[in-house]
Amino acid sequence: MALTQLNTRVPEELAGKVRAAAQRRGMSVQDYVADVLEADQAAADGPEEMREARARMHAAVAYRKWLEGGRSEDGAMDMGEVFGA
């Protein structure tokens, strides 16, 4: 399998969490990140339940970032509206 290098910048707090998670699993950061990305893509291509769980996880992260950015919730959709629940 051919490998390609991806470069990204992440907040230091996230980098620390990723390093710690990799260490707890006895993995390199490179292998840990590759596994996380592979799992995310498998969920994206998986059955409906996996796609929905993935979408909810991504939406929850985006929502947290929205609030941490000092943005208002006024007029925002709730998760039930987003997912038609």
Side-chain angles (χ1 to χ4, degrees), residues 1-80:
M1 163 183 24
L3 298 177
T4 299
Q5 183 172 339
L6 299 174
N7 295 308
T8 186
R9 294 187 186 279
V10 298
E12 186 57 40
E13 182 180 342
L14 176 59
K17 289 179 180 181
V18 168
R19 288 183 194 107
Q23 186 176 29
R24 282 192 304 274
R25 289 164 179 77
M27 302 172 76
S28 68
V29 170
Q30 175 178 314
D31 289 343
Y32 175 78
V33 170
D35 282 0
V36 168
L37 292 173
E38 190 171 339
D40 181 70
Q41 290 305 296
D45 296 334
E48 183 177 353
E49 312 83 61
M50 287 181 72
R51 292 192 313 272
E52 184 175 320
R54 176 182 180 264
R56 286 183 184 280
M57 184 261 318
H58 284 286
V61 170
Y63 179 68
R64 180 181 46 81
K65 286 181 181 181
W66 176 269
L67 294 179
E68 287 174 356
R71 296 180 187 99
S72 171
E73 293 184 72
D74 292 341
M77 296 173 72
D78 65 27
M79 293 295 272

